[in-house]
Amino acid sequence: MIWTEGSLVVAMAYLYLNKNERAKELLKSMIELQDKEGGLPYATEYLRYQFSMNSSVAGTAWLVMVIASMEDENILKLFWQA
């Protein structure tokens, strides 16, 4: 099972650690899960009361944040500011 939100959080951490190739690999695998409208499923399997295969705002938002951070280092820096 893949939890898209969690996977993209890991991709963001890889960017922070300058492991850009690994972040790109994760991003590519998440993009492959997008539906025709661009959304991502919450997860790739259904687990009653925990995980759904429906589109997810959170996962899709993380997709946007990771892509933006890859395109602009300033966004990445803003994300990690304390």
Side-chain angles (χ1 to χ4, degrees):
M1 179 178 73
I2 297 168
W3 176 41
T4 58
E5 179 183 351
S7 297
L8 288 161
V9 170
V10 171
M12 187 69 88
Y14 277 132
L15 289 176
Y16 177 74
L17 297 171
N18 287 323
K19 296 185 178 192
N20 296 353
E21 289 306 311
R22 186 63 185 123
K24 287 178 187 177
E25 291 170 14
L26 274 173
L27 179 62
K28 182 181 176 188
S29 65
M30 295 300 104
I31 288 172
E32 291 172 1
L33 296 174
Q34 282 183 289
D35 62 25
K36 64 182 179 178
E37 296 173 337
L40 288 175
Y42 185 74
T44 58
E45 294 181 28
Y46 173 77
L47 194 64
R48 190 174 179 181
Y49 303 122
Q50 296 179 34
F51 290 95
S52 161
M53 295 171 60
N54 295 330
S55 292
S56 164
V57 171
T60 305
W62 274 100
L63 178 69
V64 171
M65 289 188 293
V66 170
I67 291 171
S69 293
M70 287 179 130
E71 292 176 347
D72 186 342
E73 188 175 307
N74 291 318
I75 293 173
L76 180 64
K77 289 177 183 176
L78 284 172
F79 182 84
W80 291 102
Q81 275 184 336

Coordinates of all heavy atoms in Angstrom, one line a residue:
M1 N 0.8 -1.2 0.0 CA 0.0 0.0 0.0 C 0.9 1.2 0.0 O 1.9 1.3 0.6 CB -0.9 0.0 1.2 CG -1.8 1.3 1.3 SD -2.9 1.4 2.6 CE -1.8 1.8 4.0
I2 N 0.4 2.2 -0.7 CA 1.2 3.5 -0.8 C 0.2 4.6 -0.2 O -0.9 4.7 -0.6 CB 1.5 3.9 -2.2 CG1 2.5 2.9 -2.8 CG2 2.2 5.3 -2.3 CD1 2.7 3.0 -4.3
W3 N 0.7 5.3 0.8 CA 0.1 6.5 1.3 C 0.7 7.7 0.7 O 1.9 8.0 1.0 CB 0.2 6.5 2.9 CG -0.3 7.7 3.6 CD1 -1.5 8.3 3.3 CD2 0.3 8.3 4.7 NE1 -1.7 9.3 4.2 CE2 -0.6 9.4 5.1 CE3 1.5 8.2 5.4 CZ2 -0.3 10.3 6.1 CZ3 1.7 9.0 6.4 CH2 0.8 10.1 6.8
T4 N 0.0 8.4 -0.2 CA 0.6 9.4 -1.0 C 1.1 10.6 -0.2 O 2.2 11.1 -0.5 CB -0.3 9.9 -2.1 OG1 -1.5 10.4 -1.6 CG2 -0.7 8.8 -3.1
E5 N 0.3 11.0 0.7 CA 0.7 12.1 1.6 C 2.1 11.9 2.3 O 3.0 12.6 2.3 CB -0.3 12.5 2.6 CG 0.0 13.6 3.5 CD -1.1 13.8 4.6 OE1 -2.2 13.2 4.5 OE2 -0.9 14.6 5.5
G6 N 2.2 10.7 2.9 CA 3.4 10.3 3.6 C 4.6 10.2 2.7 O 5.7 10.6 3.0
S7 N 4.3 9.6 1.5 CA 5.4 9.5 0.5 C 6.0 10.8 0.1 O 7.2 11.0 -0.1 CB 4.9 8.7 -0.7 OG 4.6 7.4 -0.3
L8 N 5.1 11.8 -0.1 CA 5.5 13.1 -0.5 C 6.2 13.9 0.6 O 7.1 14.7 0.3 CB 4.3 13.9 -1.1 CG 3.9 13.3 -2.5 CD1 2.6 13.7 -2.9 CD2 5.0 13.7 -3.6
V9 N 5.8 13.6 1.8 CA 6.5 14.2 3.0 C 8.0 13.7 3.0 O 8.9 14.5 3.2 CB 5.8 13.9 4.3 CG1 6.7 14.3 5.5 CG2 4.5 14.6 4.4
V10 N 8.2 12.4 2.7 CA 9.5 11.9 2.6 C 10.3 12.5 1.4 O 11.4 12.8 1.5 CB 9.4 10.3 2.4 CG1 10.8 9.8 2.1 CG2 8.9 9.7 3.7
A11 N 9.6 12.7 0.3 CA 10.2 13.4 -0.9 C 10.7 14.8 -0.5 O 11.8 15.2 -0.8 CB 9.3 13.5 -2.0
M12 N 9.9 15.5 0.3 CA 10.3 16.9 0.8 C 11.5 16.8 1.7 O 12.5 17.6 1.6 CB 9.2 17.5 1.5 CG 9.4 19.0 1.8 SD 9.5 20.1 0.4 CE 7.7 20.5 0.3
A13 N 11.6 15.8 2.5 CA 12.7 15.6 3.4 C 14.0 15.3 2.6 O 15.1 15.8 2.9 CB 12.5 14.5 4.4
Y14 N 13.8 14.5 1.6 CA 15.0 14.2 0.7 C 15.5 15.5 0.0 O 16.7 15.6 -0.1 CB 14.6 13.2 -0.4 CG 14.7 11.7 0.0 CD1 13.6 10.8 -0.2 CD2 15.8 11.2 0.7 CE1 13.7 9.5 0.1 CE2 15.9 9.9 1.1 CZ 14.8 9.0 0.8 OH 14.9 7.7 1.2
L15 N 14.6 16.3 -0.4 CA 15.0 17.6 -0.9 C 15.8 18.4 0.1 O 16.9 19.0 -0.2 CB 13.8 18.4 -1.4 CG 13.1 18.0 -2.7 CD1 11.9 18.8 -2.9 CD2 14.0 17.9 -3.9
Y16 N 15.4 18.4 1.3 CA 16.0 19.1 2.4 C 17.5 18.6 2.6 O 18.4 19.3 2.9 CB 15.2 19.0 3.6 CG 15.9 19.7 4.8 CD1 15.9 21.1 5.0 CD2 16.4 18.9 5.9 CE1 16.5 21.7 6.1 CE2 17.0 19.5 7.0 CZ 17.0 20.9 7.1 OH 17.6 21.5 8.2
L17 N 17.6 17.3 2.4 CA 18.9 16.6 2.6 C 19.7 16.6 1.4 O 20.8 15.9 1.4 CB 18.6 15.2 3.1 CG 17.9 15.0 4.5 CD1 17.5 13.6 4.8 CD2 18.8 15.6 5.6
N18 N 19.3 17.3 0.3 CA 20.0 17.3 -0.9 C 20.1 16.0 -1.6 O 21.1 15.7 -2.4 CB 21.4 18.0 -0.8 CG 21.3 19.4 -0.6 OD1 20.5 20.1 -1.2 ND2 22.2 20.0 0.3
K19 N 19.1 15.1 -1.4 CA 19.0 13.8 -2.1 C 18.0 14.0 -3.2 O 16.9 13.3 -3.1 CB 18.7 12.7 -1.1 CG 19.8 12.5 -0.1 CD 19.6 11.4 0.8 CE 20.7 11.2 1.8 NZ 20.7 9.9 2.5
N20 N 18.3 14.9 -4.1 CA 17.3 15.3 -5.1 C 16.9 14.1 -6.0 O 15.7 14.1 -6.5 CB 17.8 16.5 -5.9 CG 18.0 17.7 -5.1 OD1 17.6 17.7 -3.9 ND2 18.6 18.7 -5.6
E21 N 17.8 13.3 -6.4 CA 17.4 12.1 -7.3 C 16.4 11.2 -6.6 O 15.5 10.8 -7.2 CB 18.7 11.4 -7.7 CG 19.6 12.1 -8.7 CD 18.8 12.6 -9.9 OE1 18.1 11.8 -10.5 OE2 18.9 13.8 -10.2
R22 N 16.6 11.0 -5.3 CA 15.6 10.1 -4.6 C 14.3 10.8 -4.5 O 13.2 10.2 -4.7 CB 16.2 9.8 -3.2 CG 15.3 8.8 -2.4 CD 15.3 7.5 -3.1 NE 14.3 6.6 -2.4 CZ 13.3 6.0 -2.9 NH1 13.0 6.1 -4.2 NH2 12.5 5.3 -2.2
A23 N 14.3 12.1 -4.3 CA 13.1 12.9 -4.3 C 12.4 12.8 -5.6 O 11.1 12.7 -5.7 CB 13.3 14.4 -3.9
K24 N 13.1 12.9 -6.7 CA 12.5 12.9 -8.0 C 11.9 11.5 -8.3 O 10.9 11.4 -8.9 CB 13.6 13.2 -9.1 CG 14.0 14.6 -9.2 CD 15.1 14.8 -10.2 CE 15.6 16.2 -10.2 NZ 16.7 16.4 -11.1
E25 N 12.6 10.4 -7.8 CA 12.0 9.1 -8.0 C 10.7 9.0 -7.3 O 9.7 8.4 -7.9 CB 13.0 8.0 -7.4 CG 14.3 7.9 -8.2 CD 15.3 7.0 -7.5 OE1 14.9 6.3 -6.5 OE2 16.4 7.0 -7.9
L26 N 10.6 9.4 -6.1 CA 9.3 9.4 -5.3 C 8.3 10.3 -6.0 O 7.1 9.8 -6.2 CB 9.5 9.9 -3.9 CG 10.0 8.9 -2.9 CD1 10.3 9.5 -1.5 CD2 8.9 7.8 -2.7
L27 N 8.7 11.4 -6.4 CA 7.7 12.3 -7.1 C 7.2 11.7 -8.4 O 6.0 11.7 -8.6 CB 8.4 13.6 -7.5 CG 7.5 14.7 -8.2 CD1 6.3 15.1 -7.4 CD2 8.4 15.9 -8.6
K28 N 8.0 11.1 -9.2 CA 7.6 10.4 -10.4 C 6.6 9.3 -10.1 O 5.6 9.2 -10.8 CB 8.8 9.8 -11.1 CG 8.4 9.1 -12.4 CD 9.7 8.6 -13.1 CE 9.2 7.8 -14.4 NZ 10.3 7.1 -15.0
S29 N 6.8 8.5 -9.0 CA 5.9 7.4 -8.7 C 4.6 8.0 -8.2 O 3.5 7.4 -8.5 CB 6.5 6.5 -7.7 OG 6.7 7.1 -6.5
M30 N 4.6 9.1 -7.6 CA 3.3 9.7 -7.1 C 2.5 10.3 -8.3 O 1.3 10.2 -8.4 CB 3.6 10.8 -6.1 CG 4.2 10.4 -4.8 SD 3.1 9.1 -3.9 CE 4.1 7.7 -4.3
I31 N 3.2 10.9 -9.3 CA 2.6 11.5 -10.4 C 1.9 10.4 -11.2 O 0.8 10.6 -11.8 CB 3.6 12.3 -11.3 CG1 4.0 13.6 -10.6 CG2 3.1 12.5 -12.7 CD1 5.1 14.3 -11.2
E32 N 2.5 9.2 -11.2 CA 1.8 8.1 -11.9 C 0.5 7.7 -11.3 O -0.3 7.0 -11.9 CB 2.8 6.9 -12.0 CG 4.0 7.1 -12.9 CD 5.0 6.0 -12.7 OE1 4.8 5.0 -12.0 OE2 6.1 6.1 -13.4
L33 N 0.3 8.1 -10.1 CA -1.0 7.7 -9.4 C -2.1 8.8 -9.5 O -3.2 8.6 -9.1 CB -0.7 7.6 -7.9 CG 0.2 6.4 -7.5 CD1 0.5 6.5 -6.0 CD2 -0.4 5.1 -7.8
Q34 N -1.7 9.9 -10.2 CA -2.7 11.0 -10.4 C -3.9 10.5 -11.2 O -3.8 9.7 -12.1 CB -2.1 12.2 -11.1 CG -1.2 13.0 -10.2 CD -0.7 14.2 -10.9 OE1 0.1 14.1 -11.8 NE2 -1.2 15.4 -10.6
D35 N -5.1 11.0 -10.8 CA -6.3 10.7 -11.6 C -6.4 11.7 -12.8 O -5.5 12.6 -12.9 CB -7.6 10.7 -10.8 CG -7.8 12.1 -10.1 OD1 -7.4 13.1 -10.6 OD2 -8.5 12.1 -9.1
K36 N -7.4 11.6 -13.6 CA -7.5 12.4 -14.8 C -7.6 13.9 -14.5 O -7.3 14.8 -15.3 CB -8.6 12.0 -15.7 CG -10.0 12.1 -15.1 CD -11.1 11.6 -16.0 CE -12.4 11.7 -15.3 NZ -13.5 11.3 -16.1
E37 N -8.0 14.2 -13.3 CA -8.2 15.6 -12.9 C -7.0 16.2 -12.1 O -6.9 17.3 -11.7 CB -9.4 15.8 -12.0 CG -10.7 15.5 -12.8 CD -11.9 15.5 -11.9 OE1 -11.8 15.3 -10.6 OE2 -13.0 15.7 -12.4
G38 N -5.9 15.3 -12.0 CA -4.7 15.7 -11.3 C -4.6 15.4 -9.8 O -3.6 15.7 -9.2
G39 N -5.7 14.9 -9.3 CA -5.7 14.5 -7.8 C -5.0 13.2 -7.5 O -4.7 12.4 -8.4
L40 N -4.6 13.1 -6.3 CA -4.0 11.8 -5.8 C -4.9 11.1 -4.9 O -5.6 11.7 -4.1 CB -2.7 12.1 -5.1 CG -1.5 12.6 -5.9 CD1 -0.3 13.0 -4.9 CD2 -1.0 11.6 -6.9
P41 N -4.9 9.7 -4.9 CA -5.7 9.0 -3.9 C -5.0 9.2 -2.6 O -3.8 9.4 -2.4 CB -5.5 7.6 -4.4 CG -4.2 7.5 -5.1 CD -4.1 8.9 -5.8
Y42 N -5.8 9.0 -1.5 CA -5.3 9.1 -0.2 C -4.3 7.9 0.0 O -3.2 8.1 0.6 CB -6.4 9.0 0.8 CG -6.0 9.2 2.3 CD1 -5.6 10.4 2.7 CD2 -5.9 8.1 3.1 CE1 -5.1 10.6 4.0 CE2 -5.5 8.2 4.4 CZ -5.1 9.5 4.9 OH -4.6 9.6 6.2
A43 N -4.7 6.8 -0.5 CA -3.8 5.6 -0.4 C -4.2 4.7 -1.6 O -5.2 4.9 -2.3 CB -4.1 4.8 0.9
T44 N -3.4 3.7 -1.9 CA -3.6 2.8 -3.0 C -4.4 1.6 -2.6 O -4.8 0.8 -3.5 CB -2.3 2.4 -3.7 OG1 -1.5 1.7 -2.7 CG2 -1.6 3.6 -4.3
E45 N -4.7 1.5 -1.3 CA -5.6 0.4 -0.9 C -6.6 0.9 0.2 O -6.3 1.9 0.8 CB -4.8 -0.8 -0.2 CG -3.9 -1.5 -1.2 CD -3.1 -2.6 -0.6 OE1 -3.6 -3.2 0.4 OE2 -2.0 -2.9 -1.1
Y46 N -7.7 0.2 0.3 CA -8.7 0.6 1.3 C -8.4 -0.2 2.6 O -8.2 -1.4 2.6 CB -10.1 0.2 0.7 CG -11.2 0.4 1.7 CD1 -11.7 1.7 2.0 CD2 -11.7 -0.7 2.4 CE1 -12.7 1.9 2.9 CE2 -12.8 -0.5 3.3 CZ -13.2 0.8 3.6 OH -14.2 1.0 4.5
L47 N -8.4 0.5 3.7 CA -8.3 -0.1 5.0 C -9.4 0.6 5.8 O -9.3 1.8 6.2 CB -6.9 0.2 5.6 CG -6.5 -0.6 6.8 CD1 -6.4 -2.1 6.4 CD2 -5.1 -0.1 7.3
R48 N -10.4 -0.1 6.2 CA -11.6 0.4 6.8 C -11.2 1.3 8.0 O -10.4 1.0 8.9 CB -12.4 -0.8 7.3 CG -13.8 -0.4 7.8 CD -14.6 -1.6 8.1 NE -15.9 -1.1 8.6 CZ -16.8 -1.9 9.0 NH1 -16.6 -3.2 9.0 NH2 -18.0 -1.4 9.5
Y49 N -11.8 2.5 8.0 CA -11.7 3.6 9.0 C -10.3 4.2 9.0 O -10.0 5.0 9.9 CB -12.1 3.1 10.4 CG -13.5 2.5 10.5 CD1 -13.7 1.2 10.9 CD2 -14.6 3.3 10.1 CE1 -14.9 0.7 11.0 CE2 -15.8 2.7 10.2 CZ -16.0 1.5 10.6 OH -17.3 0.9 10.7
Q50 N -9.4 3.8 8.2 CA -8.0 4.3 8.2 C -7.6 4.9 6.9 O -7.1 6.0 6.8 CB -7.1 3.3 8.7 CG -7.4 2.9 10.1 CD -6.4 1.8 10.6 OE1 -5.2 1.8 10.2 NE2 -6.9 0.9 11.4
F51 N -7.7 4.1 5.8 CA -7.2 4.5 4.5 C -8.3 4.3 3.5 O -8.9 3.3 3.5 CB -5.9 3.8 4.1 CG -4.7 4.1 4.9 CD1 -4.4 3.4 6.0 CD2 -3.9 5.2 4.6 CE1 -3.3 3.7 6.8 CE2 -2.8 5.5 5.4 CZ -2.5 4.8 6.5
S52 N -8.3 5.3 2.6 CA -9.3 5.3 1.5 C -8.6 5.4 0.2 O -7.5 6.0 0.1 CB -10.3 6.5 1.7 OG -10.9 6.8 0.5
M53 N -9.2 5.0 -0.9 CA -8.6 5.2 -2.2 C -9.2 6.4 -2.9 O -8.9 6.7 -4.1 CB -8.9 3.9 -3.1 CG -8.1 2.7 -2.5 SD -8.5 1.1 -3.2 CE -8.1 1.4 -4.9
N54 N -10.0 7.2 -2.2 CA -10.6 8.4 -2.8 C -9.5 9.5 -2.9 O -8.5 9.5 -2.3 CB -11.7 8.9 -1.9 CG -12.9 8.0 -1.8 OD1 -13.2 7.3 -2.7 ND2 -13.5 8.0 -0.6
S55 N -9.8 10.4 -3.8 CA -8.9 11.6 -4.0 C -8.7 12.3 -2.7 O -9.6 12.4 -1.9 CB -9.5 12.5 -5.0 OG -9.4 11.9 -6.3
S56 N -7.5 12.8 -2.5 CA -7.1 13.5 -1.2 C -6.6 14.9 -1.5 O -5.7 15.1 -2.3 CB -6.0 12.6 -0.6 OG -5.4 13.3 0.4
V57 N -7.2 15.8 -0.8 CA -6.6 17.2 -0.8 C -5.2 17.2 -0.3 O -4.3 17.9 -0.8 CB -7.6 18.2 -0.1 CG1 -6.9 19.5 0.1 CG2 -8.9 18.2 -0.7
A58 N -5.0 16.6 0.9 CA -3.7 16.6 1.5 C -2.6 16.1 0.6 O -1.5 16.7 0.5 CB -3.7 15.9 2.8
G59 N -2.8 14.9 0.0 CA -1.8 14.3 -0.8 C -1.5 15.2 -2.0 O -0.4 15.4 -2.4
T60 N -2.6 15.7 -2.6 CA -2.4 16.6 -3.8 C -1.7 17.9 -3.4 O -0.9 18.4 -4.2 CB -3.8 16.9 -4.4 OG1 -4.5 15.6 -4.7 CG2 -3.7 17.7 -5.7
A61 N -2.0 18.4 -2.2 CA -1.3 19.7 -1.8 C 0.2 19.4 -1.6 O 1.0 20.2 -2.0 CB -1.9 20.2 -0.5
W62 N 0.5 18.2 -1.0 CA 1.9 17.9 -0.9 C 2.6 17.7 -2.2 O 3.8 18.1 -2.4 CB 2.1 16.6 0.0 CG 2.1 16.9 1.4 CD1 1.1 16.8 2.3 CD2 3.2 17.4 2.2 NE1 1.5 17.2 3.6 CE2 2.8 17.6 3.5 CE3 4.5 17.7 1.8 CZ2 3.7 18.1 4.5 CZ3 5.4 18.2 2.8 CH2 4.9 18.4 4.1
L63 N 1.9 17.2 -3.2 CA 2.4 17.1 -4.6 C 2.8 18.5 -5.1 O 3.9 18.7 -5.6 CB 1.4 16.5 -5.5 CG 1.8 16.3 -6.9 CD1 2.9 15.3 -7.1 CD2 0.6 15.9 -7.8
V64 N 1.9 19.4 -4.9 CA 2.2 20.8 -5.4 C 3.4 21.4 -4.6 O 4.3 22.0 -5.2 CB 0.9 21.7 -5.2 CG1 1.2 23.2 -5.4 CG2 -0.2 21.2 -6.1
M65 N 3.4 21.2 -3.3 CA 4.6 21.7 -2.5 C 5.9 21.1 -2.9 O 6.9 21.9 -3.0 CB 4.3 21.5 -1.0 CG 3.2 22.4 -0.4 SD 3.0 22.3 1.4 CE 2.4 20.6 1.6
V66 N 5.9 19.8 -3.2 CA 7.2 19.2 -3.5 C 7.6 19.7 -4.9 O 8.8 20.1 -5.1 CB 7.1 17.7 -3.5 CG1 8.3 17.0 -4.2 CG2 6.9 17.2 -2.1
I67 N 6.7 19.8 -5.9 CA 7.1 20.3 -7.2 C 7.6 21.7 -7.1 O 8.6 22.1 -7.7 CB 5.9 20.2 -8.2 CG1 5.6 18.7 -8.5 CG2 6.1 21.0 -9.4 CD1 4.3 18.4 -9.2
A68 N 6.9 22.6 -6.3 CA 7.3 24.0 -6.2 C 8.6 24.1 -5.6 O 9.5 24.9 -6.0 CB 6.2 24.7 -5.4
S69 N 8.9 23.2 -4.6 CA 10.2 23.2 -3.9 C 11.3 22.8 -4.8 O 12.5 23.2 -4.7 CB 10.2 22.4 -2.6 OG 9.3 23.0 -1.7
M70 N 11.0 21.9 -5.7 CA 12.0 21.4 -6.7 C 12.3 22.5 -7.7 O 13.5 22.6 -8.1 CB 11.5 20.2 -7.4 CG 11.5 18.9 -6.6 SD 10.9 17.5 -7.5 CE 12.2 16.4 -7.2
E71 N 11.3 23.3 -8.0 CA 11.5 24.3 -9.0 C 12.1 25.6 -8.5 O 12.8 26.3 -9.2 CB 10.2 24.7 -9.7 CG 9.6 23.5 -10.5 CD 8.2 23.8 -11.1 OE1 7.6 24.8 -10.6 OE2 7.8 23.0 -12.0
D72 N 12.0 25.8 -7.2 CA 12.5 27.1 -6.6 C 13.0 26.8 -5.2 O 12.3 26.5 -4.3 CB 11.3 28.1 -6.5 CG 11.7 29.4 -6.0 OD1 12.8 29.6 -5.5 OD2 10.9 30.4 -6.2
E73 N 14.3 26.9 -5.1 CA 15.0 26.6 -3.8 C 14.5 27.5 -2.7 O 14.5 27.2 -1.5 CB 16.5 26.7 -4.0 CG 17.3 26.3 -2.8 CD 18.8 26.3 -3.0 OE1 19.2 25.7 -4.0 OE2 19.5 26.9 -2.2
N74 N 14.1 28.7 -3.0 CA 13.6 29.7 -2.0 C 12.3 29.1 -1.3 O 12.1 29.3 -0.2 CB 13.3 31.0 -2.6 CG 14.6 31.7 -3.0 OD1 15.6 31.7 -2.3 ND2 14.6 32.4 -4.2
I75 N 11.5 28.4 -2.1 CA 10.3 27.8 -1.5 C 10.7 26.7 -0.6 O 10.1 26.6 0.5 CB 9.3 27.3 -2.6 CG1 8.8 28.5 -3.4 CG2 8.2 26.5 -2.0 CD1 8.0 28.2 -4.6
L76 N 11.6 25.9 -1.0 CA 12.1 24.9 -0.1 C 12.7 25.5 1.2 O 12.4 25.0 2.3 CB 13.2 24.1 -0.8 CG 13.8 22.9 0.0 CD1 12.8 21.8 0.3 CD2 15.0 22.3 -0.7
K77 N 13.4 26.6 1.1 CA 14.0 27.2 2.3 C 12.8 27.8 3.2 O 12.9 27.6 4.4 CB 14.9 28.3 1.9 CG 16.2 27.8 1.4 CD 17.1 29.0 0.9 CE 18.4 28.5 0.3 NZ 19.2 29.6 -0.3
L78 N 11.8 28.3 2.6 CA 10.7 28.9 3.4 C 10.0 27.7 4.1 O 9.5 27.9 5.3 CB 9.7 29.6 2.5 CG 10.1 30.9 2.0 CD1 9.1 31.4 0.9 CD2 10.1 31.9 3.1
F79 N 9.9 26.6 3.5 CA 9.2 25.5 4.0 C 9.9 25.0 5.3 O 9.2 24.6 6.3 CB 9.1 24.3 3.0 CG 8.4 23.1 3.5 CD1 7.0 23.1 3.5 CD2 9.0 22.0 4.1 CE1 6.3 22.0 3.9 CE2 8.3 21.0 4.6 CZ 7.0 20.9 4.5
W80 N 11.2 25.0 5.3 CA 11.9 24.5 6.5 C 12.3 25.6 7.5 O 13.0 25.3 8.5 CB 13.2 23.8 6.0 CG 12.8 22.5 5.3 CD1 12.8 22.3 3.9 CD2 12.4 21.3 5.9 NE1 12.4 21.0 3.7 CE2 12.2 20.4 4.8 CE3 12.2 20.9 7.2 CZ2 11.7 19.1 5.0 CZ3 11.8 19.5 7.4 CH2 11.5 18.7 6.3
Q81 N 11.9 26.8 7.3 CA 12.2 27.8 8.3 C 11.5 27.6 9.6 O 10.3 27.1 9.6 CB 11.7 29.2 7.8 CG 12.7 29.9 7.0 CD 12.2 31.3 6.6 OE1 11.1 31.6 6.6 NE2 13.2 32.2 6.3
A82 N 12.1 27.9 10.7 CA 11.5 27.7 12.0 C 10.8 29.0 12.4 O 11.1 30.0 12.0 CB 12.6 27.3 13.0

